[in-house]
Amino acid sequence: MCAHLLCPRLSCLLAATAICLVPCLSAYAESAADHEAFSPEAGVEFFQNYCIDCHEGDAGEGGLDLSSFESSKQIPLEIEKWNRIADRVAEQQMPPIDSDTPPMELRDAVVQWIRGTIHAAVCDDGVTPGRPMLRRLNRTEYANTIRDLLGIQFNAGHGLPEDGAGGEGFDNAAETLFISPIHAEKYLDAARAALTHAMSDPQDRKTILVAQPSAETTPQAAAEKVLENFLPRAFRRPVTSDEIQQYVELFQSAYVDDQSYELAIQFAIEAALVSPKFLFLWEQPHTGPEPILISHYEMASRLSYFLWASMPDAELTRLASQGKLHDEEVLAEQVARMVKSRIDDRGHRRDAKVRAFAESFVEQWLGTRAMGREFKPNEAVVGKLDSELLGGMQYEPVFFMEDLLADNRSLLNWIDSDFTYANNRLARHYKIEGTFREQPRRVDLPAGSHRGGALGMSAVLAVSSFSHRTSPVLRGKWIMETLLGTAPPPPPPNVPDLDEAGEPSGEKLSLRQRLELHRADPTCASCHAVMDPLGFGLENYDVLGRWRTEVDGIEIDSTGTLPDGTTFAGAAGLKEQLMQRKDAFIRHLTSKMLGYALARQLTNEDQCVVEAISQKLAEDDYRAQTLVLEIIKSVPFQFKSGQLVH
């Protein structure tokens, strides 16, 4: 389709995006307006009264100098800095607790003013999408694509190097998916191994070799039919006659040497499987000055690699060929289809393709991929972690996300829920009664259960602990960073480790008492005053998430007092506090999923989309499919910018 024919569509969608952003920006303005004493001048006065003593000149704490701040017009000039400031003020890390602190109403108003100023400056003129996608398939995507392309149950990616995280913290980020010499060698080995596996099974071989030489069909003609069928699926788009001919010539060169049809056609297919056209998600470059819609085939790939971590299936390819993948009704139908997960009468979910997304996204978002890798519990302290328990712990959050998507449940279940997924070993670990097998199944939690939501999951509790003991600091930091998106600053240099011993007198101290001594330094107090209470709320869980009431004969105190004086008791009280901050949680989860879907670092303009989607979610009971669909309908997902856009 010509670019000029897409302009009306672009204008409409950009206009719609701007309309969606209006409620978000209005919300900021209304929130600030609720405080009668607040104005932009009051915002400037806030920093002069509460911040300038610590943040003045080159010697300002944290390298932050606010002495020249005198107008809201300065905020959009240093967006990243002011985003960090807003987070610190919102989390009561700044001003520090040992200084003159503002009332919560003023603190909230200043945060809304900063964020509203940034969003007005960035979002008022619409959203600019990213460049056309160009990135290598990561190891998971490669394995899944080979599996679906060849129709085999074979992990072709197991020998490939691990992929590092980039973008918003995921291993599908374009900036980290480079090609090295070792990749080239490994891809060739993987292609040969996968094809050998496929050719060894008569049914798989028949699926790939759709034509054979015969009295009526020459080897070259048969090869052309095979490649005409294979290449569009491998390259995830229609192919030209020249592209087909290129691989036919490879077939011919091999056939001349050996006179074996199957070996020659396998050679041509191997070549396709190490081609950049297969190994890379590549979108047609756009050289015009204005953004345009991605093609329907590009949309099919964006959809499938977002929700399946694999290639488009026949249905997506058919819709792309019919030019229907920009239709919002069609997209809604496809989202519902793609996240579908059948649950049998025993509560087990069976082989849903969306599990690939649930596993890849959730394990990296929550950090539970570290189980059994970077995180290995000290068996001398916590006991042996057998493989069935490890599997149950790892898959609990994965199946949980699959459930939310398939049944379109509220995303607030991540904060608290009345169900979870457990296998036989994990159910015993949780002391849940019932009949369980090795595969996790859905289980309703009784009233008063210590489980429910991410904070009751053993994998989460483990990776936010040390190997030998729990850590309220690590767990509090995990909550701030992973659930709320407000990571505390790194600790100052030369901070001593926590004293694991008791008093010199021999008196045994609880972990809470030792931490109180440890954070006596005022430099540390402001961050610990936010982190530690959150972590203390989870102290009834040990390193592996088992419920306990005492440690070394000392009764656990799981109460928490936040910097504003709010108190809560235990995990249940902590969940209530997080539910009061559900909008921050939803905003952060939206940001993470958008970054995963786009496979890149988000920009400030992308945050405008995050706010608009968060508003939509609030209006639709925070339903999981709404989040997915709104991401897919967004400008960054559906459009690509031109080369001249800066």
Side-chain angles (χ1 to χ4, degrees):
M1 186 180 292
C2 297
H4 70 276
L5 296 178
L6 293 173
C7 292
R9 164 70 174 162
L10 172 62
S11 299
C12 291
L13 189 50
L14 290 176
T17 303
I19 291 171
C20 290
L21 291 172
V22 168
C24 303
L25 297 177
S26 298
Y28 283 119
E30 290 169 5
S31 178
D34 288 340
H35 308 278
E36 294 181 2
F38 183 79
S39 66
E41 291 75 20
V44 174
E45 186 178 352
F46 173 93
F47 288 98
Q48 292 174 343
N49 291 342
Y50 296 103
C51 306
I52 202 70
D53 286 348
C54 296
H55 299 287
E56 183 174 16
D58 295 337
E61 290 190 15
L64 178 62
D65 178 15
L66 293 173
S67 60
S68 61
F69 178 62
E70 55 186 24
S71 169
S72 60
K73 293 179 180 179
Q74 295 170 255
I75 293 176
L77 302 179
E78 296 180 285
I79 290 176
E80 297 304 324
K81 180 181 87 172
W82 284 97
N83 273 327
R84 289 194 298 271
I85 290 173
D87 288 343
R88 300 286 184 267
V89 174
E91 289 298 324
Q92 303 178 58
Q93 299 171 27
M94 196 174 93
I97 57 173
D98 60 340
S99 63
D100 185 19
T101 56
M104 284 302 298
E105 292 80 7
L106 179 57
R107 184 187 294 272
D108 290 343
V110 168
V111 170
Q112 296 292 351
W113 169 61
I114 294 171
R115 290 177 175 164
T117 301
I118 291 172
H119 279 265
V122 173
C123 306
D124 276 357
D125 59 351
V127 176
T128 301
R131 297 286 180 84
M133 186 175 290
L134 176 62
R135 70 171 181 87
R136 173 175 59 82
L137 299 178
N138 68 20
R139 191 167 76 155
T140 299
E141 293 166 338
Y142 176 85
N144 293 346
T145 303
I146 288 285
R147 177 200 65 201
D148 294 341
L149 177 63
L150 301 181
I152 57 176
Q153 293 303 315
F154 177 79
N155 183 4
H158 73 280
L160 298 179
E162 291 273 4
D163 298 305
E168 296 299 314
F170 300 102
D171 62 7
N172 66 347
E175 59 265 34
T176 65
L177 293 172
F178 53 85
I179 284 278
S180 66
I182 193 172
H183 277 100
E185 179 182 340
K186 294 292 186 181
Y187 279 130
L188 185 56
D189 291 342
R192 286 174 176 166
L195 277 172
T196 299
H197 184 89
M199 293 301 182
S200 66
D201 180 270
Q203 185 60 45
D204 292 336
R205 184 171 65 247
K206 185 178 179 180
T207 301
I208 298 168
L209 303 183
V210 295
Q212 293 281 351
S214 66
E216 294 79 23
T217 307
T218 66
Q220 178 176 331
E224 285 182 358
K225 290 181 180 179
V226 170
L227 293 166
E228 285 171 355
N229 176 69
F230 184 81
L231 292 178
R233 296 178 61 241
F235 297 166
R236 302 172 287 274
R237 58 168 173 78
V239 296
T240 65
S241 57
D242 287 345
E243 286 177 304
I244 294 173
Q245 190 58 37
Q246 176 186 357
Y247 288 92
V248 170
E249 289 173 2
L250 290 174
F251 164 82
Q252 289 175 319
S253 66
Y255 187 74
V256 167
D257 290 340
D258 199 296
Q259 295 294 302
S260 167
Y261 171 75
E262 288 201 5
L263 288 178
I265 194 63
Q266 186 169 334
F267 175 75
I269 292 173
E270 280 180 9
L273 293 180
V274 296
S275 166
K277 297 173 184 178
F278 171 74
L279 295 174
F280 280 76
L281 290 175
W282 178 87
E283 293 176 354
Q284 185 69 37
H286 169 51
T287 57
E290 298 295 332
I292 63 169
L293 280 163
I294 59 176
S295 76
H296 293 276
Y297 287 99
E298 291 167 351
M299 174 64 91
S301 284
R302 285 200 183 190
L303 285 170
S304 65
Y305 284 97
F306 172 22
L307 294 177
W308 289 341
S310 186
M311 61 183 285
D313 67 353
E315 173 76 357
L316 286 174
T317 302
R318 179 183 65 81
L319 291 169
S321 70
Q322 295 172 350
K324 293 184 176 180
L325 285 182
H326 294 145
D327 185 292
E328 290 191 0
E329 290 186 8
V330 172
L331 290 175
E333 292 170 356
Q334 289 306 300
V335 166
R337 179 181 76 90
M338 294 177 74
V339 302
K340 188 175 182 180
S341 171
R342 182 177 65 86
I343 189 167
D344 64 21
D345 55 4
R346 293 176 176 172
H348 298 115
R349 293 197 174 271
R350 298 293 186 186
D351 303 324
K353 292 185 73 172
V354 73
R355 188 169 304 154
F357 162 74
E359 184 172 356
S360 182
F361 176 77
V362 167
E363 287 189 344
Q364 295 182 82
W365 166 44
L366 298 182
T368 53
R369 181 176 281 186
M371 284 295 300
R373 298 183 183 185
E374 296 88 348
F375 176 83
K376 294 181 180 179
N378 186 323
E379 292 185 359
V381 176
V382 302
K384 184 174 177 58
L385 178 61
D386 61 77
S387 59
E388 187 180 349
L389 177 57
L390 176 62
M393 292 170 67
Q394 288 175 319
Y395 273 103
E396 181 182 15
V398 173
F399 278 83
F400 191 84
M401 174 59 105
E402 185 178 328
D403 186 292
L404 298 187
L405 288 166
D407 294 344
N408 202 17
R409 300 184 193 277
S410 170
L411 292 163
L412 298 181
N413 278 291
W414 281 112
I415 298 177
D416 196 11
S417 68
D418 58 6
F419 73 96
T420 193
Y421 277 78
N423 65 3
N424 182 55
R425 186 65 181 83
L426 186 62
R428 296 206 315 268
H429 189 70
Y430 288 165
K431 300 187 181 334
I432 297 175
E433 297 182 356
T435 303
F436 296 85
R437 300 189 177 191
E438 187 173 351
Q439 182 182 2
R441 74 166 175 86
R442 192 181 191 279
V443 55
D444 293 327
L445 298 172
S449 171
H450 302 311
R451 306 301 156 184
L455 297 182
M457 295 180 179
S458 281
V460 166
L461 294 160
V463 298
S464 57
S465 298
F466 291 122
S467 63
H468 65 292
R469 68 162 174 82
T470 60
S471 169
V473 178
L474 290 182
R475 286 179 173 176
K477 179 177 182 291
W478 186 94
I479 291 170
M480 293 176 64
E481 190 171 53
T482 305
L483 297 187
L484 301 175
T486 54
N494 303 318
V495 175
D497 292 333
L498 179 66
D499 185 1
E500 298 284 354
E503 286 282 271
S505 63
E507 180 185 357
K508 188 179 291 185
L509 299 180
S510 68
L511 180 58
R512 178 187 287 266
Q513 290 171 320
R514 282 181 278 141
L515 277 171
E516 286 173 350
L517 292 173
H518 180 74
R519 66 170 187 252
D521 185 343
T523 307
C524 306
S526 60
C527 290
H528 280 280
V530 180
M531 289 190 297
D532 294 7
L534 301 175
F536 281 128
L538 300 176
E539 263 300 278
N540 284 116
Y541 300 103
D542 74 359
V543 172
L544 293 184
R546 293 170 294 203
W547 187 260
R548 60 188 182 173
T549 57
E550 63 176 41
V551 177
D552 297 331
I554 302 176
E555 185 177 355
I556 290 173
D557 179 1
S558 60
T559 60
T561 302
L562 300 175
D564 65 353
T566 301
T567 61
F568 63 88
L574 175 58
K575 291 175 184 178
E576 290 176 0
Q577 291 300 312
L578 291 175
M579 199 64 79
Q580 292 180 20
R581 300 163 73 180
K582 62 181 180 292
D583 290 336
F585 165 72
I586 289 296
R587 193 162 51 241
H588 182 57
L589 176 56
T590 300
S591 179
K592 299 297 284 187
M593 195 175 292
L594 179 62
Y596 179 91
L598 299 177
R600 61 170 173 80
Q601 182 79 41
L602 297 186
T603 66
N604 287 313
E605 287 191 354
D606 292 326
Q607 294 300 330
C608 307
V609 177
V610 169
E611 293 296 339
I613 294 175
S614 299
Q615 182 73 21
K616 284 277 190 179
L617 283 167
E619 295 166 359
D620 195 31
D621 296 326
Y622 306 99
R623 295 187 183 277
Q625 289 184 22
T626 300
L627 173 55
V628 172
L629 183 58
E630 290 301 320
I631 286 174
I632 289 169
K633 288 162 53 178
S634 71
V635 168
F637 194 89
Q638 292 206 27
F639 284 79
K640 56 187 174 185
S641 66
Q643 298 296 319
L644 302 181
V645 176
H646 297 287

